[in-house]
Amino acid sequence: MLHPRARTMLLLSIPAVLIGVASSLLLIVVLKIAAVLQHLLWRSLPDAVGVDFTSPVWIILMLTLTGIIVGLVIHYSPGHAGPDPASEPLIGEAVPPSHLPGLVLALILGLAGGVSLGPEHPIMSVNIALAVTLGARFFPRVNSLDWTILAAAGTIGALFGTPVAAALIFSQTLSGNNDAPLWDRLFAPLLAAAAGSLTTGLFFHPQFSLPIEHYQEMRIGDIFSGAIVTVFAIAVGMVAVWCLPHLHALMHRLKSPVIILGIGGFILGVIGTVGGPITLFKGVDEMHLLASGTGFGSGDYLLFALSKLAALVVAVACGFRGGRIFPAVFVAVALGLMLHAHVEAVPAAITVSCAILGLVLVVSRDAWLSLFMAAVVVPDTTLLPLLCIVMLPPGCCWRGNPR
């Protein structure tokens, strides 16, 4: 009595839910371990030796040691600890399972040690590899691409605490096949994303939204202001994009990951002493400190933005395992608050959301994801029409020339 496609959807629903739950649990375990180790390294240990963890000596020491240890892990791990985030997209091909222990360990050490990268890229690689490997063993007739999509959707749902981001991303990825309606192809990925987000919600709630003053009503002038902010953020991001391959090539002339990451960790420590402790780590918790506005001026926001952006480029170029989206959002928030401090007539809701729109577009090369992040960090429905209008010109240009 069921359509063949409906039977396929029902058959994939149980694996989709299991993959979503497993993707979330793995993310939670990694983040919890990293949080415990971070508290040990940045609170308990400096208190025990009588050192202020915000002092330049401690910041440089910790990040240099983190670079050396992560370099040792990568050097001695099979497959050299998974794909290099500098040359791989967020959703890539499955890596062999033997690469995963080193990749997870390198991620945990980087997150705990203060490296300016998020967990999204390595977690995505791990979940995709496990889903493809186990799926091929228990369901050999299912294509590996289907397992990749389910694992990616479950991970995205777990990372952001909502399946909406997965729906937006895969609505364009899966729209090329005309044999089946889009909803049929999105059904299983949405289940995986929903299961991942619900599982994450049982343990903690990802807090991306900032306490920014509500945007009252859209004015024509705000569209032009938002467009200028978006172009400014894109320009800043393009400078980082231009620097990344050059620095990556320069650092990898040294060959040894221990030397590369040791030097990279030292550079990150120096940058951290300039920008302060708020520019360390993945940036999600730290951007809430930015939005609190306690004692920060436009010069401070600019310093935070440039320091975090420099740290992001160095971390990726040197080969630290981590993702770029979360730190990029921190940079965008700092830029947006800086622009609002300069021109208070433009609401902070516009400057912050449009800065996120532009910078995340450059970093992720995904217009839907950039629009989603802007709407999540500044959750104001009055802004949505403005964001959609401002998004059109850069989105079309980026679509036509993705590089």
Side-chain angles (χ1 to χ4, degrees):
M1 295 179 62
L2 292 176
H3 188 277
R5 184 63 190 174
R7 287 198 296 268
T8 303
M9 291 163 60
L10 290 175
L11 289 174
L12 285 176
S13 62
I14 295 178
V17 171
L18 294 176
I19 288 174
V21 172
S23 299
S24 176
L25 290 177
L26 181 59
L27 171 67
I28 291 169
V29 169
V30 168
L31 292 181
K32 292 294 185 182
I33 294 175
V36 172
L37 184 58
Q38 176 183 329
H39 187 272
L40 175 65
L41 295 176
W42 291 90
R43 296 290 182 175
S44 302
L45 189 57
D47 289 344
V49 298
V51 177
D52 184 1
F53 77 94
T54 63
S55 66
V57 173
W58 189 260
I59 292 175
I60 293 176
L61 176 64
M62 286 307 306
L63 282 161
T64 303
L65 291 177
T66 298
I68 294 173
I69 296 173
V70 171
L72 289 171
V73 170
I74 293 175
H75 180 72
Y76 290 105
S77 296
H80 301 294
D84 185 354
S87 56
E88 292 290 331
L90 178 61
I91 303 174
E93 296 182 359
V95 299
S98 59
H99 297 185
L100 302 185
L103 179 58
V104 172
L105 183 57
L107 170 62
I108 292 174
L109 292 172
L111 291 175
V115 177
S116 295
L117 291 174
E120 57 271 21
H121 187 278
I123 286 294
M124 186 72 74
S125 297
V126 172
N127 287 338
I128 289 175
L130 292 176
V132 170
T133 301
L134 296 176
R137 180 175 181 179
F138 295 106
F139 301 93
R141 294 184 180 181
V142 179
N143 193 301
S144 62
L145 179 60
D146 292 329
W147 299 120
T148 299
I149 292 172
L150 292 179
T155 306
I156 293 171
L159 282 167
F160 300 113
T162 172
V164 175
L168 293 174
I169 293 172
F170 288 109
S171 64
Q172 63 180 0
T173 305
L174 302 177
S175 61
N177 183 6
N178 295 322
D179 296 336
L182 178 60
W183 171 255
D184 290 1
R185 298 191 298 276
L186 279 176
F187 180 77
L190 277 178
L191 271 181
S197 62
L198 288 174
T199 304
T200 298
L202 294 176
F203 296 91
F204 67 95
H205 298 280
Q207 293 293 332
F208 294 100
S209 60
L210 299 180
I212 293 178
E213 185 179 353
H214 179 71
Y215 181 61
Q216 300 297 328
E217 58 179 343
M218 190 172 74
R219 298 167 296 184
I220 298 298
D222 292 337
I223 297 177
F224 294 100
S225 300
I228 293 172
V229 173
T230 303
V231 171
F232 175 75
I234 289 175
V236 172
M238 289 304 298
V239 172
V241 168
W242 182 86
C243 293
L244 177 58
H246 294 84
L247 183 58
H248 184 272
L250 177 65
M251 294 301 297
H252 282 74
R253 289 180 182 177
L254 300 175
K255 304 298 183 182
S256 171
V258 180
I259 298 176
I260 295 172
L261 290 168
I263 294 176
F266 175 78
I267 297 174
L268 290 177
V270 173
I271 296 173
T273 61
V274 174
I278 197 173
T279 61
L280 303 179
F281 307 104
K282 59 182 181 291
V284 176
D285 297 329
E286 289 74 19
M287 72 181 185
H288 287 83
L289 298 177
L290 288 180
S292 67
T294 306
F296 297 143
S298 60
D300 297 319
Y301 290 127
L302 180 61
L303 177 63
F304 296 153
L306 295 180
S307 299
K308 190 70 171 182
L309 189 61
L312 173 59
V313 172
V314 170
V316 175
C318 292
F320 282 98
R321 295 323 189 234
R324 291 169 264 185
I325 296 175
F326 290 171
V329 173
F330 175 96
V331 175
V333 170
L335 287 176
L337 293 173
M338 182 269 294
L339 292 173
H340 171 66
H342 269 296
V343 186
E344 295 185 359
V346 182
I350 291 179
T351 58
V352 172
S353 61
C354 290
I356 294 172
L357 198 68
L359 200 62
V360 175
L361 175 64
V362 174
V363 170
S364 67
R365 299 182 179 181
D366 192 305
W368 279 121
L369 182 59
S370 62
L371 182 61
F372 168 79
M373 292 305 303
V376 167
V377 175
V378 187
D380 195 333
T381 55
T382 312
L383 278 172
L384 283 177
L386 183 146
L387 293 176
C388 291
I389 294 172
V390 171
M391 185 69 197
L392 290 177
C396 292
C397 295
W398 200 261
R399 185 72 174 175
N401 184 20
R403 295 188 181 278

